[in-house]
Amino acid sequence: MAKSVLLVDDEAKIVEVVGDYLRGAGFVVSTASDGERAVAAARARPPDLVVLDLGLPGLDGLDVARELRRSSSVPIIMLTARGEEADRVLGLELGADDYVVKPFSPRELLARVRAVLRRTDEGGASERERFAVGDVVVDCGRRQVTVADRAVDLTATEFDLLAELARQPGRVLSRSQLLGAIHGVAVPSYERTVDVHVKNLRRKIEPDPHRPRYLLTVHRVGYRFADG
């Protein structure tokens, strides 16, 4: 069955060009030109992924992401202007999975959409791995994380980042290595996003996010997952 994408942008040309490109790639595309319509559309017919412009009139993209995350873990890819780094970081902290900076090519966005959706699908036999350290259990086959037997709701990117670290407990992975493992390519300008996702993960799985037991920082290098 074709995957569905909700494309949210107030620029008609972007909606037209990107929408046609996604449809040509086999996606079912619905659109919204403002935040209120986006939230209503996502609730009426939940999509498999949302492409969300941050600079919307009225209810802006950050507000939309916040509303969606109250009841859904649908993957979100943000569209941002080049100078909106602070908003990008906030969007990631609200649970967005990825971002694309304007101006962008439809081909780049399509690659990002496919990568995020590929990660949200259940893994095959080769990915049916289960890792446990302390109270944290990472089940790759089910794409499920529990802490002290309590299910934790993660975005697709948060899960993949945690799973990559959990597969190699004790090993230090750089931000570049983590980006490469998650996206298939390491882009230096995107390395800051790893820190934001780690911050989100700590808030969700650590007893005390300010004194992490599981996701450990290695100064000037990257991160490692505790090995016991």
Side-chain angles (χ1 to χ4, degrees):
M1 182 180 294
K3 296 285 189 179
S4 60
V5 175
L6 174 59
L7 173 59
V8 186
D9 200 302
D10 64 328
E11 295 185 46
K13 190 62 177 178
I14 288 180
V15 171
E16 178 185 358
V17 172
V18 173
D20 287 348
Y21 204 87
L22 291 173
R23 291 185 187 97
F27 293 97
V28 175
V29 179
S30 57
T31 64
S33 58
D34 60 49
E36 288 83 358
R37 289 186 176 92
V39 172
R43 289 174 176 168
R45 185 172 295 180
D48 293 304
L49 181 142
V50 177
V51 176
L52 176 63
D53 181 33
L54 286 189
L56 295 172
L59 193 69
D60 67 17
L62 294 175
D63 291 329
V64 173
R66 189 178 288 109
E67 285 296 320
L68 293 179
R69 279 292 170 261
R70 288 179 178 174
S71 59
S72 171
S73 59
V74 61
I76 298 172
I77 296 178
M78 300 181 301
L79 303 180
T80 77
R82 192 168 299 277
E84 294 177 329
E85 182 177 1
D87 283 346
R88 287 199 296 273
V89 170
L90 181 53
L92 291 166
E93 289 178 341
L94 289 173
D97 292 272
D98 203 353
Y99 68 87
V100 176
V101 177
K102 294 181 177 180
F104 59 88
S105 71
R107 180 178 296 180
E108 177 190 4
L109 178 58
L110 175 60
R112 298 263 175 192
V113 167
R114 283 174 167 164
V116 172
L117 286 174
R118 185 168 57 247
R119 299 200 309 269
T120 61
D121 291 335
E122 285 193 359
S126 63
E127 295 178 340
R128 296 194 181 282
E129 303 165 301
R130 188 173 182 274
F131 311 96
V133 173
D135 288 333
V136 178
V137 177
V138 182
D139 188 328
C140 294
R142 297 181 178 179
R143 293 189 66 84
Q144 185 179 77
V145 173
T146 58
V147 178
D149 296 323
R150 173 182 56 86
V152 178
D153 189 22
L154 302 181
T155 68
T157 299
E158 289 167 0
F159 179 87
D160 287 318
L161 180 62
L162 180 60
E164 186 64 23
L165 287 162
R167 283 189 180 97
Q168 307 171 75
R171 181 185 173 189
V172 180
L173 296 178
S174 68
R175 293 169 179 82
S176 178
Q177 287 174 310
L178 290 168
L179 279 174
I182 294 170
H183 295 301
V185 60
V187 182
S189 61
Y190 284 73
E191 289 189 4
R192 174 74 174 90
T193 68
V194 173
D195 299 332
V196 182
H197 291 309
V198 168
K199 178 181 177 181
N200 289 345
L201 280 167
R202 283 174 171 163
R203 190 174 65 245
K204 294 178 179 181
I205 72 170
E206 296 283 0
D208 181 354
H210 301 292
R211 296 182 179 180
R213 291 172 49 190
Y214 301 108
L215 284 174
L216 307 177
T217 300
V218 180
H219 188 52
R220 294 186 178 180
V221 181
Y223 298 97
R224 69 179 177 88
F225 194 69
D227 53 1

